[in-house]
Amino acid sequence: MGDSIEARTFTRQDRTQFRAKAERCLEALASMLADGRFSAVDAPDSQLGLEIELNLVDEQGAPARGNDAVLEAISSPAFQTELARFNVEINVAPRPIGDGHLQELETVLRGSLDVADRRARSAGSSLVMIGMLPTLDETHFTERWFSADPRYSLLGQQILSARGEDIELQLDGVALNDDRPVERLAMVCDTILPEAACTSVQLHLQVAPESFAAYWNAAQAIAGVQVALAANSPFFAGKALWHETRIPMFEQATDTRPQELKNQGVRPRVWFGERWVTSIFDLFEENSRYFPALLPVCAEEDPFEALAEGRAPELAELRMHNGTVYRWNRPVYDVEGGTAHLRLENRVLPAGPSVVDVVADAAFYYGLVRSMAEADRPIWTQMTFDAAAENLQAAARGGIDSRLYWPEVGGISPRELVLRRLLPAAAEGLDAYGVDPEVRDRYLGIIEQRCLTGRNGAVWQRENVAARERAGASRPEALHGMLADYLERMQAGEPVHTWTH
């Protein structure tokens, strides 16, 4: 979906041709997997990658409609446009996980964001790294807020056309405290721009084909734990909703199904999945089998001709289609320097609150997913797939104090689960990557303190807003005041468990 697409309309012939080309790409991928066409350097510990979606705000903390000017001021290929004019994205160059590379990641990321923020301020905006910008409301979801690149509005048109009606956003929240009523969201929107409110951290890991299923299954099993620990999206359109509201809002904002298709059990476009897999091919095949194309743009290349010539095929149609099926753990096929490789893209984490929190979340994920994938008795052989899916929803709703299911212990709080079982497993995984023990302990120590204090980004935001409202502030005043405090602490760079009001 990062490819440039010109504004256009699609014909029935376009869709028929695209389906045929996508199926041919799928056949080529099957041939590459069978023939061992992927480079041996794609060991599971070879490379990590990171993307962070960011929000832009003006001096009053309101969304800023200026990503073109900000990107021009930043003038770095690491920063790219995103769906809405109040979004940009930073892509961090891939690097190994072991040795001092995690610490290097923190240094590079903090330096890049500091420079970018200074330049963004010269263009009238500030960068905010947060799961959902709390000052967004329905006025920011109209056509004028789409980024200038036509691929975004084209995607929105295709989703709404497939759906056949406007998008309904509905969610019952979690009360700020015991004496508050539950708040409810009910909004109808004629664009997909609520998706742009859902800003995330995306973690990439190169994985060898023979290891991919184990890593994907492990990532699915721990997704709920990740969300519970890192929740940072408690407010949307002025409402106090779930601790990680980004999860249900992203699911609803890109849903191509009218109610009748939901009633029939048609699969949603934002998808956790429905089963453990045995191969990466399973995931690409499901995408092709279950989901019609949203952007049926065909390339000239024939993948089998490329293979016959000894080249890695681009598989453009497969990649385009894959980019419009929003799995929380997504398979990725890519070609770099003429060599094809496979990646696992983890998409469950919200952006923020601070750079060191983001790197701590990454360290916990990379360590834990390796430990789980390489365990003698894999976690996915001990729990149902439905239990993993239910954990994700429970964690998104209740955050760090939710109740999750885990094999051998049953219902358990994520704090207790992480402290007792998962931190040691994550440490073992980081050791296997060759991470320096001091670096390992620094980042996992942040996760430990989050569990001990019970404070992540969502908890801090909710407490700050509740305190302001008790002091007499209106909800808009409380949200703007909280965001100003958040920005100050985000820029100071201390982990969120140390933040005070």
Side-chain angles (χ1 to χ4, degrees):
M1 263 308 296
D3 296 336
S4 180
I5 302 172
E6 295 180 357
R8 57 177 294 183
T9 58
F10 295 110
T11 65
R12 295 188 297 274
Q13 290 75 19
D14 288 332
R15 297 184 184 282
T16 301
Q17 181 185 7
F18 184 89
R19 181 183 292 113
K21 284 291 301 286
E23 289 175 356
R24 191 157 176 80
C25 287
L26 195 62
E27 292 168 1
L29 177 63
S31 174
M32 295 174 72
L33 291 169
D35 296 344
R37 295 282 191 125
F38 292 90
S39 171
V41 302
D42 291 343
D45 58 349
S46 59
Q47 297 282 310
L48 69 86
L50 180 74
E51 303 169 51
I52 304 178
E53 295 165 340
L54 304 159
N55 288 283
L56 303 175
V57 296
D58 61 21
E59 291 182 355
Q60 288 74 43
R65 191 171 165 269
N67 60 355
D68 286 343
V70 165
L71 289 173
E72 183 177 355
I74 293 174
S75 188
S76 167
F79 286 82
Q80 299 177 0
T81 187
E82 256 295 337
L83 177 63
R85 290 185 180 272
F86 53 79
N87 294 144
V88 295
E89 178 179 87
I90 179 173
N91 294 274
V92 180
R95 67 200 66 232
I97 297 175
D99 297 325
H101 292 290
L102 276 174
Q103 203 162 19
E104 177 189 63
L105 173 64
E106 180 187 351
T107 301
V108 169
L109 184 56
R110 180 62 190 261
S112 297
L113 289 174
D114 284 349
V115 171
D117 189 56
R118 287 197 298 270
R119 294 179 179 177
R121 287 173 185 270
S122 72
S125 300
S126 296
L127 301 180
V128 187
M129 188 167 55
I130 192 168
M132 300 189 89
L133 187 63
T135 52
L136 285 167
D137 59 42
E138 57 269 26
T139 66
H140 303 111
F141 303 143
T142 58
E143 287 283 341
R144 66 188 292 268
W145 286 89
F146 270 112
S147 286
D149 191 316
R151 75 176 186 265
Y152 297 119
S153 58
L154 182 58
L155 177 64
Q157 292 164 17
Q158 294 301 303
I159 288 176
L160 286 166
S161 176
R163 183 182 175 91
E165 57 190 48
D166 289 343
I167 293 170
E168 293 186 17
L169 305 176
Q170 297 184 345
L171 196 66
D172 288 350
V174 177
L176 285 179
N177 51 49
D178 292 340
D179 61 355
R180 298 292 187 93
V182 169
E183 299 177 31
R184 292 179 170 84
L185 175 74
M187 178 188 298
V188 176
C189 192
D190 62 0
T191 75
I192 65 165
L193 279 169
E195 177 192 341
C198 308
T199 44
S200 65
V201 171
Q202 295 151 27
L203 303 175
H204 290 253
L205 178 65
Q206 279 192 13
V207 183
E210 60 272 16
S211 302
F212 193 94
Y215 274 78
W216 187 85
N217 289 343
Q220 293 285 95
I222 66 174
V225 178
Q226 287 181 273
V227 167
L229 292 180
N232 195 33
S233 313
F235 295 100
F236 176 71
K239 306 287 187 182
L241 299 171
W242 290 10
H243 283 241
E244 190 50 33
T245 304
R246 184 181 58 90
I247 298 289
M249 283 302 99
F250 193 79
E251 291 172 347
Q252 294 182 33
T254 54
D255 199 340
T256 56
R257 305 168 303 165
Q259 188 60 49
E260 293 81 2
L261 292 185
K262 294 179 187 178
N263 295 340
Q264 294 176 42
V266 171
R267 293 163 180 85
R269 206 85 192 187
V270 178
W271 199 32
F272 187 75
E274 59 193 17
R275 65 187 176 106
W276 307 118
V277 301
T278 59
S279 166
I280 188 174
F281 186 80
D282 296 346
L283 302 173
F284 284 114
E285 185 181 38
E286 286 179 348
N287 287 357
S288 179
R289 179 187 300 169
Y290 297 146
F291 300 101
L294 289 180
L295 298 172
V297 179
C298 289
E300 295 294 328
E301 179 191 70
D302 181 281
F304 283 97
E305 289 181 4
L307 287 173
E309 295 169 2
R311 295 185 290 107
E314 294 293 328
L315 304 187
E317 292 81 12
L318 179 143
R319 291 165 65 193
M320 173 65 75
H321 187 55
N322 190 57
T324 63
V325 179
Y326 303 100
R327 292 180 181 269
W328 291 114
N329 282 292
R330 176 190 275 168
V332 177
Y333 169 92
D334 208 350
V335 179
E336 186 70 31
T339 301
H341 69 263
L342 303 174
R343 298 198 307 271
L344 171 60
E345 182 187 13
N346 178 257
R347 301 165 53 83
V348 300
L349 291 172
S354 69
V355 167
V356 73
D357 283 308
V358 167
V359 179
D361 289 330
F364 179 73
Y365 166 73
Y366 286 120
L368 185 58
V369 78
R370 175 160 184 169
S371 179
M372 293 290 173
E374 299 184 358
D376 293 335
R377 189 182 177 202
I379 187 68
W380 60 92
T381 66
Q382 305 173 58
M383 66 191 297
T384 66
F385 193 88
D386 285 347
E390 289 165 7
N391 278 351
L392 178 62
Q393 293 299 312
R397 186 178 191 280
I400 203 165
D401 288 319
S402 58
R403 197 82 177 162
L404 307 182
Y405 169 81
W406 201 254
E408 299 181 354
V409 296
I412 188 171
S413 79
R415 296 165 66 181
E416 183 178 0
L417 175 62
V418 170
L419 290 170
R420 288 191 177 190
R421 294 188 171 219
L422 301 188
L423 274 177
E428 289 177 7
L430 292 177
D431 288 344
Y433 281 119
V435 175
D436 182 271
E438 290 187 7
V439 174
R440 174 201 67 200
D441 292 346
R442 176 169 184 253
Y443 294 122
L444 294 187
I446 291 171
I447 301 298
E448 178 184 47
Q449 287 301 311
R450 245 189 255 165
C451 292
L452 291 172
T453 61
R455 174 164 293 178
N456 58 15
V459 170
W460 182 88
Q461 289 189 54
R462 286 164 60 89
E463 289 178 350
N464 187 290
V465 167
R468 289 176 177 277
E469 290 183 345
R470 284 194 300 271
S474 66
R475 176 58 59 84
E477 291 170 341
L479 290 174
H480 278 80
M482 179 273 287
L483 182 59
D485 286 351
Y486 182 102
L487 265 170
E488 181 181 331
R489 287 156 178 77
M490 182 199 80
Q491 291 161 355
E494 294 300 317
V496 71
H497 71 264
T498 67
W499 292 12
T500 62
H501 297 312

